[in-house]
Amino acid sequence: MLLCSACAAPGPIPPPLKPPSEDSTQQLLHKSALFNSPAISLKTPDEHILAVNAEMRYFVNEQVPAALSPRARLRYLSDALVRPSLLGIEYQPGVTQSAADTFANRRGDCLSLTSLFIALAREAKLDAYFNEVSVPPSWELLSDNRSAIYKHINAVVELGNGQREVVDFSVDIYDYRYPQKRVSDDIAAAQYYSNLGVSALHNDNYDDAYLYLRRALHLGPEEAYIWGNLGVLFRRGGYNSEAELAFSQALSLDPEESASLSNLARLYRSSGRKERAKQLEQVIASRQRDNPFWHYSRSRAAFERGDYAQALNAIKRAIRLDKNEYRFYQFAAVIFRSQGNTDKYHEYGLKAAHAKLKQSH
């Protein structure tokens, strides 16, 4: 967990896409029959991700003295969460749970751990809220020539007198320089259901995926990436017209939604609309050329193939585009070491250390 005091230039705009009508996009949330899903009302209430049970209340009462200052209460709570002899929570990517389930299982992804922290912090009378961080995609998030938009989330605690602290449970991901913004509890819940929907989609459970994604869009109808996820579900199910609507809606909300742009280009090409596909592909190629993290991903892929020359060319391009990212220097050092170039290995190792130190300040 990281406690610290507390945020990409947009790429080319895609060719004009006709925004779908509101009626047509709303109809996408009433397609249960396509997936043999029960037609549950979107207004049906469910237990919120921040719900607190008696055991959680007891934990706060025992571990966080109420008479302390907000900053001291924050420290007590943070220590109780991570100390192995107390709760001992662990960060585990890909495990999305509610605050109560995370408390019981003591592990989860950034959203799960943040939800647990916020639920307990509010129980300790701390002013805590969700903070969404736009993390650049790295090589771990790219596979099979497909990119993913990663919505990292952490917490901010207001301590009074203009003081605040960021609480983050994945130190290797968060950087205070990344664009970030406060988001509501409902938007965090929308991300929760979107994560569950994507997990169900990966397991080919289209029925549950649809129920989760429609719930996510009910809570966060302006979240472009969730419309993109819904488009992937329709595309996988063979419903291309619905998929095109969902991808178009995502891009109408956010022209920078690169995953939807790539998916729509593939849909156009597979359906014979080659000119439209080509237009989008040109935008995608331009964005990739100007994205240092894309070159970083290419370097990692080349390195895994044993092509050290190409890996070095790609990582040097990434460094030219962003001279402040320590991971680029770090990986360049790894490549030089594999080539047996000890001098360059030490040179880039030092550059990585200096860049990381500069970021920390």
Side-chain angles (χ1 to χ4, degrees):
M1 179 177 62
L2 170 68
L3 287 173
C4 61
S5 302
C7 190
I13 298 174
L17 297 169
K18 184 180 180 182
S21 68
E22 184 177 351
D23 286 345
S24 64
T25 54
Q26 284 303 305
Q27 283 301 310
L28 294 180
L29 304 184
H30 301 279
K31 299 286 185 180
S32 300
L34 297 179
F35 301 102
N36 298 315
S37 300
I40 300 173
S41 171
L42 285 167
K43 296 182 180 180
T44 302
D46 49 16
E47 185 175 0
H48 200 273
I49 59 172
L50 296 177
V52 175
N53 58 35
E55 188 179 1
M56 296 163 72
R57 291 191 183 94
Y58 179 79
F59 177 82
V60 172
N61 290 335
E62 285 292 301
Q63 303 300 331
V64 186
L68 297 179
S69 68
R71 185 177 294 280
R73 273 179 278 144
L74 171 59
R75 296 294 176 180
Y76 268 80
L77 176 60
S78 302
D79 181 68
L81 282 171
V82 300
R83 186 184 293 271
S85 61
L86 295 175
L87 198 60
I89 58 174
E90 295 180 0
Y91 173 68
Q92 185 168 348
V95 177
T96 300
Q97 305 174 118
S98 66
D101 287 340
T102 305
F103 182 84
N105 297 321
R106 304 188 180 193
R107 63 193 179 96
D109 59 13
C110 64
L111 177 58
S112 303
L113 298 182
T114 300
S115 298
L116 173 60
F117 171 80
I118 288 177
L120 298 182
R122 291 177 182 176
E123 191 66 24
K125 303 298 187 291
L126 290 169
D127 183 8
Y129 59 84
F130 288 102
N131 183 52
E132 184 181 276
V133 186
S134 298
V135 178
S138 62
W139 72 276
E140 294 89 349
L141 305 175
L142 298 164
S143 62
D144 301 328
N145 296 318
R146 291 178 293 187
S147 62
I149 299 301
Y150 183 58
K151 294 286 185 178
H152 180 56
I153 203 161
N154 57 28
V156 172
V157 179
E158 297 285 353
L159 298 170
N161 298 320
Q163 298 181 36
R164 65 186 60 173
E165 288 204 27
V166 175
V167 180
D168 194 284
F169 294 93
S170 46
V171 177
D172 291 337
I173 294 176
Y174 178 67
D175 187 317
Y176 72 92
R177 299 174 305 162
Y178 293 152
Q180 50 201 284
K181 63 180 179 180
R182 178 174 183 165
V183 294
S184 68
D185 292 353
D186 276 352
I187 294 300
Q191 182 175 329
Y192 166 79
Y193 284 110
S194 180
N195 286 359
L196 294 180
V198 170
S199 179
L201 179 59
H202 287 167
N203 291 322
D204 296 327
N205 185 350
Y206 296 172
D207 300 357
D208 285 351
Y210 182 71
L211 290 177
Y212 286 135
L213 291 174
R214 73 194 290 268
R215 168 60 66 178
L217 286 167
H218 174 66
L219 294 167
E222 301 300 311
E223 297 299 295
Y225 74 100
I226 304 179
W227 286 104
N229 290 339
L230 183 65
V232 172
L233 171 61
F234 282 126
R235 184 81 171 90
R236 292 246 190 117
Y239 307 111
N240 287 353
S241 296
E242 287 81 1
E244 182 175 350
L245 272 175
F247 293 141
S248 297
Q249 174 67 356
L251 291 167
S252 71
L253 292 169
D254 180 8
E256 297 295 316
E257 222 291 283
S258 58
S260 292
L261 190 66
S262 297
N263 283 317
L264 186 57
R266 283 194 290 270
L267 190 152
Y268 282 152
R269 187 160 290 282
S270 67
S271 60
R273 287 172 284 179
K274 295 181 180 180
E275 190 57 38
R276 291 294 288 150
K278 186 177 179 181
Q279 288 179 307
L280 298 187
E281 288 162 356
Q282 288 173 342
V283 173
I284 294 166
S286 177
R287 288 182 179 178
Q288 288 175 338
R289 285 194 300 271
D290 297 333
N291 183 348
F293 286 90
W294 184 75
H295 293 284
Y296 178 40
S297 72
R298 289 183 66 243
S299 179
R300 297 298 301 235
F303 183 81
E304 293 297 328
R305 295 194 306 270
D307 189 343
Y308 298 148
Q310 185 175 341
L312 197 56
N313 287 336
I315 201 63
K316 286 183 175 179
R317 178 64 187 271
I319 292 171
R320 285 197 296 272
L321 290 168
D322 185 350
K323 295 180 174 59
N324 298 315
E325 179 51 65
Y326 76 90
R327 284 182 289 179
F328 299 165
Y329 297 107
Q330 205 171 58
F331 191 61
V334 171
I335 299 170
F336 282 123
R337 183 178 60 187
S338 299
Q339 291 180 321
N341 191 332
T342 305
D343 291 341
K344 286 293 184 181
Y345 164 66
H346 288 299
E347 177 187 340
Y348 276 80
L350 286 173
K351 287 182 177 181
H354 290 153
K356 191 169 187 178
L357 182 63
K358 186 177 179 182
Q359 283 186 9
S360 67
H361 294 301

